[in-house]
């Protein structure tokens, strides 16, 4: 089947760290025009899939979300079939754009938001994230599970714990939306979140591991809105961290990889919908 891709790029404004953020000053089309044009195209090309990357016509994070007309009510997976995936997917609340494939053949399976409650008073949106898995590695699980039905997969705790702790290459892409992050607040937040997960999966050696991870993040790093952090599990259980595409360090630890991934796709994830989409996507990958 032919796949026609329309994608628009958003030239960066000076000082902006990421081109994945909506930027109407350089975006020549209003969403309505894009949607209308796209709808006309879709209508005119029965049998041809139109994969469309749309950004909200907005500069401000937190403006009313613009829903992609192709997949607003469908699970993320519905817009990410193996043969025809859109080039990018928009996180609806923040308008942040995620590529649908990264690091070779890692496919976007779920997107969500990391919120943080401040002093029990309000929730702030800290970053949007996308969870990606390497298609070939996921398919290796077929050897163990064969072809199960959706409900058999969904009922299998073992299957999801395998995804967390097997040598499957994955990437979690974080895009910062909160504009006032300090390195101190980041450190204490991840000492808590990652620290709890290390304790959950192991009774000893956590402190050293957490210190090794924390020491990668030196005080001179700044994380303004638009910064992108990639946390990836590379072959051999290597946790690789990149900030705005630059490598900051590798740590070889199965436990650390598992603990980080657990924040996004474990029992008590930051965003339940992201985890659900991830699971549906994963099962589809195995069944196709
Ligand atoms: O005091 O302004 C504030 C709130 C700070 C919230 C910090 C949350 C940090 C979450 C971890 C981010 C990792 C990149
Ligand atoms: O959201 O609590 C969380 C977990 C975030 C884990 C990763 C944090 C990486 C932080 C990089 C900081 C660089 C200065």
């Amino acid at each position: 089947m032919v796949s026609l891709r329309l994608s628009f790029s958003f030239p960066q404004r000076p000082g902006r760290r990421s081109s994945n953020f909506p930027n109407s000053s350089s975006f020549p089309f209003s969403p309505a025009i894009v949607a209308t044009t796209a709808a006309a195209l879709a209508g005119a090309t029965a049998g041809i899939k139109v994969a469309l990357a749309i950004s909200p016509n907005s500069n401000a994070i937190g403006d009313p979300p613009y829903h992609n007309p192709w997949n607003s009510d469908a699970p993320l997976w519905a817009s990410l079939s193996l043969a025809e995936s859109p080039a990018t997917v928009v996180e609806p609340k923040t308008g942040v754009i995620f590529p649908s494939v990264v690091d070779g053949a890692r496919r976007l399976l779920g997107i969500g938001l990391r919120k943080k409650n401040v002093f029990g008073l309000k929730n702030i949106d800290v970053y949007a994230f996308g969870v990606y898995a390497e298609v070939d590695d996921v398919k290796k699980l077929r050897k163990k599970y064969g072809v199960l039905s959706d409900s058999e997969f969904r009922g299998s705790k073992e299957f999801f714990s395998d995804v967390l702790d097997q040598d499957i290459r994955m990437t979690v892409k974080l895009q910062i939306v909160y504009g006032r992050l300090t390195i101190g607040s980041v450190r204490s937040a991840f000492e808590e979140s990652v620290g709890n997960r290390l304790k959950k999966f192991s009774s000893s050696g956590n402190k050293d591991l957490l210190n090794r991870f924390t020491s990668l993040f030196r005080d001179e790093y700044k994380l303004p809105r638009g910064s992108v952090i990639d946390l990836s599990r590379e072959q051999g259980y290597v946790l690789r961290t990149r900030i705005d595409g630059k490598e900051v360090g590798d740590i070889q630890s199965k436990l650390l990889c598992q603990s980080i991934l657990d924040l996004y796709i474990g029992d008590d994830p930051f965003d339940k919908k992201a985890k659900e989409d991830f699971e549906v996507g994963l099962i589809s990958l195995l069944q196709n």
Side-chain angles (χ1 to χ4, degrees), residues 126 176 181-191 217 223 229:
V126 183
I176 307 293
L181 269 187
T182 60
I183 193 74
S185 63
V186 171
R187 276 223 185 89
S188 64
F190 77 66
E191 275 171 10
F217 310 118
L223 292 175
I229 300 171

Side-chain angles (χ1 to χ4, degrees), residues 114 127 183 190 193 217 221 223 229 231 243 263-264 270:
R114 156 70 151 129
Y127 56 80
I183 193 74
F190 77 66
S193 59
F217 310 118
Y221 288 121
L223 292 175
I229 300 171
L231 300 164
I243 299 179
L263 299 169
Y264 305 95
F270 285 144

Side-chain angles (χ1 to χ4, degrees), residues 151-166:
S151 57
E152 285 167 326
F153 267 123
R154 279 183 167 270
S156 168
K157 273 203 168 279
E158 194 188 350
F159 168 65
F160 292 111
S161 78
D162 273 355
V163 175
L164 269 179
D165 78 0
Q166 297 295 300

Side-chain angles (χ1 to χ4, degrees), residues 131 140 189 232:
V131 188
K140 283 184 201 145
S232 59

